[in-house]
Amino acid sequence: MEKRFHFRKLLVSLLIAASVVVKAQTSVDPTVMTVAGKDVPLSEFVYIAGKNNEVNLTDSASLHTYLELFTKFKLKVAEAESLGLDTTQGFINELKGYQEQLVKSYSKDSDDVLTPEKIRCIEQDCPEYKHLMQEYRDGILLFEVSDREVWSRASSDTAGLEAFFEQSKQKYSSDSLDAVRGEVIADYQNWLDNQWTKRLAGKYPIKVYWDVLIKLTK
């Protein structure tokens, strides 16, 4: 379970792949974008960006790159929710277990009983708690839906893999699929992911509030 958790956390970092050199801490938390009808607050957008050091949100080009990656991430989470992956008992139990451990690390009391009142108090006193919960929640969904739509499919879809290899055989060092199978599977996964993301972009509405985003570059 611990290895699975760390892998999911790493996956989120790799797929979102961004950082920030500014910290937006204001009493007002405007909506930076809406994906599939759900508002994304600026604080979440900046918090996730701050998990890595490859993108500077004060730079316009970097901001656009990060926005594209973040949007893909949120589209996949929206698809997982559409498939009901956030309603399974396994998901509910795993998220609750993480929340219980997180509450203990933030709680100032010796009472470790998880109550709505305690959670509200922690959210008010420690904004990072809410972001951590959202990050872990979305990370679980991202992992599950990506495994279903990309990773497991790339490994099990023999016909699809063979067709992909035949179409791009010239780029590999061997004419034998077995000789370069690992490399081909990795490329096939990337191709599946790109095709899937394009379908999601057409399936779910996206609205970006540029008046909010542009303030990050100033």
Side-chain angles (χ1 to χ4, degrees):
M1 179 64 73
E2 182 177 355
K3 183 181 293 186
R4 183 181 177 89
F5 163 67
H6 286 303
F7 179 75
R8 283 173 171 160
K9 297 282 283 186
L10 175 62
L11 173 66
V12 174
S13 297
L14 290 174
L15 292 180
I16 301 175
S19 75
V20 64
V21 296
V22 295
K23 300 295 181 180
Q25 298 292 340
T26 63
S27 57
V28 178
D29 195 7
T31 297
V32 71
M33 66 189 305
T34 301
V35 181
K38 283 194 172 184
D39 292 340
V40 178
L42 178 63
S43 62
E44 180 186 350
F45 185 81
V46 171
Y47 173 79
I48 295 295
K51 305 295 286 188
N52 203 290
N53 293 315
E54 296 181 1
V55 174
N56 177 2
L57 294 188
T58 63
D59 176 78
S60 180
S62 294
L63 173 62
H64 280 75
T65 299
Y66 169 68
L67 175 64
E68 181 180 355
L69 292 169
F70 185 85
T71 301
K72 290 179 180 179
F73 161 59
K74 282 297 185 179
L75 282 171
K76 292 173 182 178
V77 172
E79 176 70 355
E81 292 171 341
S82 176
L83 293 172
L85 299 185
D86 58 333
T87 64
T88 66
Q89 196 58 50
F91 170 84
I92 294 171
N93 291 340
E94 185 169 352
L95 189 62
K96 183 178 180 181
Y98 177 74
Q99 184 180 43
E100 289 174 346
Q101 293 301 315
L102 193 61
V103 165
K104 291 179 181 179
S105 67
Y106 279 94
S107 178
K108 299 177 182 179
D109 302 323
S110 58
D111 180 14
D112 291 328
V113 177
L114 185 61
T115 64
E117 291 76 17
K118 175 175 287 187
I119 294 173
R120 281 194 294 270
C121 289
I122 293 175
E123 287 179 343
Q124 292 175 358
D125 296 337
C126 308
E128 186 182 26
Y129 166 83
K130 184 176 181 179
H131 292 311
L132 285 169
M133 284 300 305
Q134 185 71 42
E135 179 190 19
Y136 189 69
R137 175 192 181 278
D138 288 353
I140 299 174
L141 295 177
L142 178 65
F143 181 93
E144 296 295 344
V145 75
S146 296
D147 183 51
R148 174 182 297 197
E149 298 293 334
V150 178
W151 306 325
S152 292
R153 179 179 172 186
S155 299
S156 62
D157 182 11
T158 302
L161 183 67
E162 291 176 349
F164 176 81
F165 176 66
E166 289 298 325
Q167 292 173 0
S168 53
K169 185 183 294 186
Q170 67 281 357
K171 67 176 289 188
Y172 299 106
S173 59
S174 174
D175 289 337
S176 170
L177 174 58
D178 289 337
V180 290
R181 181 173 293 273
E183 186 179 356
V184 176
I185 288 178
D187 289 342
Y188 187 42
Q189 286 179 343
N190 290 333
W191 183 84
L192 286 173
D193 187 75
N194 289 333
Q195 296 301 308
W196 178 39
T197 302
K198 290 178 182 178
R199 293 196 302 272
L200 294 180
K203 181 178 181 180
Y204 298 108
I206 304 167
K207 181 176 181 180
V208 177
Y209 295 89
W210 288 104
D211 58 325
V212 175
L213 273 181
I214 202 66
K215 293 178 181 178
L216 293 174
T217 63
K218 295 180 179 180

